[in-house]
Structure formats: structure tokens, C-alpha cells
Amino acid sequence: MSEPALAPRNALGGVLVVWAVAFVASIAVGIFVPEEWRVPWLLVAFGGIVLLSFAVQLWQGRTQGFIFRVGGSAIGALLLMGVISVGFGLAALVT
């Protein structure tokens, strides 16, 4: 990795992939898991998302901005999953 990449991959693509997986995982947890087990399963899903963000950024093979990209993908996924879980919590209060 001492030579610069001639055509480096887009760093935003890996972050967006992690966010998309977080969106799908939180919707799946909200639909398929009973209400009393949603929070523990959301935590398990977020742990998998953090591991996925490391794997995606390591797969890209770029050292510049690694921590920034992993942090951005993990924090963005956390916020996204939090907003979706608030939506499911409000929906549980209404019904």
C-alpha cells in the first residue's frame, strides 16, 4: 500500500452501504421481533453494524480517513436506528 491508488473507490459508497444495512436491520427488528425484545435485538443489530462498518472500510484498502469513515458510518447508523426505533415506540403507544 505504499503506492497511491490510481482510481480510489468512493469513500461515501461504503458509508451509505452501512447505513442501508442499518435501515433494513432496524425495520426487520421492528417488524419481526415482539415489543419486549426490540431493544436487545436492536443492540445486537447495532453491534453487527459496527463490525460491518469496519469490514467495509478495511475492504476498501485506504488508510486516509479510516477512523473518520468508520465513525461516520457507525454514528449515522446509530442515529438512523434510533429514529426508527422511536417511530416503532410511538406506534406501540398508539395501538
Side-chain angles (χ1 to χ4, degrees), residues 52-89:
L52 177 69
S53 67
F54 274 109
V56 167
Q57 298 306 325
L58 285 173
W59 176 72
Q60 285 186 345
R62 295 180 54 205
T63 58
Q64 296 83 12
F66 175 77
I67 299 297
F68 183 72
R69 291 190 313 268
V70 169
S73 61
I75 290 174
L78 178 67
L79 291 174
L80 181 68
M81 292 177 83
V83 168
I84 291 171
S85 67
V86 165
F88 278 116

Side-chain angles (χ1 to χ4, degrees), residues 10-93:
N10 188 3
L12 185 61
V15 173
L16 292 177
V17 165
V18 172
W19 289 355
V21 171
F23 178 78
V24 170
S26 59
I27 295 293
V29 166
I31 291 173
F32 297 117
V33 175
E35 289 181 27
E36 62 271 4
W37 288 98
R38 281 188 187 151
V39 174
W41 276 105
L42 280 171
L43 291 173
V44 170
F46 181 68
I49 294 298
V50 170
L51 293 176
L52 177 69
S53 67
F54 274 109
V56 167
Q57 298 306 325
L58 285 173
W59 176 72
Q60 285 186 345
R62 295 180 54 205
T63 58
Q64 296 83 12
F66 175 77
I67 299 297
F68 183 72
R69 291 190 313 268
V70 169
S73 61
I75 290 174
L78 178 67
L79 291 174
L80 181 68
M81 292 177 83
V83 168
I84 291 171
S85 67
V86 165
F88 278 116
L90 291 175
L93 287 176

